[in-house]
Amino acid sequence: MPVEQDLTTIGVTTTAGGGAIPATAGQIVEKPYDPTADRETIRGTIALALVWALVGVIGAVVLTGLVTMYACHGGGACNVETMDLKSIRAVIELVLTPLIGLVGAVTGFYFGEKSASSKPGG
């Protein structure tokens, strides 16, 4: 059999004089939602993901260049296009250049916004 409880008295303690004072331990305090902390977390995550993407692409380009160099100079079959690293240049022009611009814009916006918000009156 369930025990009935008066929900209006939860979180309220009484004093010896019979007056009720609000309890501070375990009390839920409502405050308006402030999206600033969530916004900063998301911006930081996006900036960090783009920086790691840039590091990954640069690593892939360097690794491809090292493998190509090792294959060509190790006695493997090389043609003129492979020796000139035309495929790596194409990757740099098509992927790396726009990614560098995007990372620069995002990190500039992120750190510019942080410095503007830390100024008094900003």
Side-chain angles (χ1 to χ4, degrees):
M1 179 189 305
V3 176
E4 292 185 21
Q5 185 175 10
D6 184 12
L7 297 179
T8 59
T9 60
I10 292 179
V12 176
T13 59
T14 59
T15 61
I21 58 170
T24 56
Q27 185 178 11
I28 297 175
V29 177
E30 291 186 24
K31 62 181 180 178
Y33 173 68
D34 184 19
T36 306
D38 292 336
R39 187 179 329 136
E40 288 301 314
T41 301
I42 296 298
R43 285 179 181 170
T45 303
I46 291 171
L48 191 60
L50 283 172
V51 168
W52 279 113
L54 179 63
V55 168
V57 169
I58 290 173
V61 167
V62 169
L63 184 64
T64 304
L66 290 175
V67 168
T68 303
M69 180 186 70
Y70 179 74
C72 286
H73 294 293
C78 279
N79 55 18
V80 176
E81 290 180 358
T82 306
M83 290 295 288
D84 289 340
L85 301 174
K86 289 187 178 182
S87 61
I88 295 174
R89 288 183 184 163
V91 168
I92 290 172
E93 291 172 359
L94 294 175
V95 176
L96 193 62
T97 304
L99 187 59
I100 288 174
L102 184 62
V103 168
V106 167
T107 55
F109 174 78
Y110 176 70
F111 288 113
E113 181 73 20
K114 284 190 76 82
S115 67
S117 65
S118 66
K119 291 181 183 175

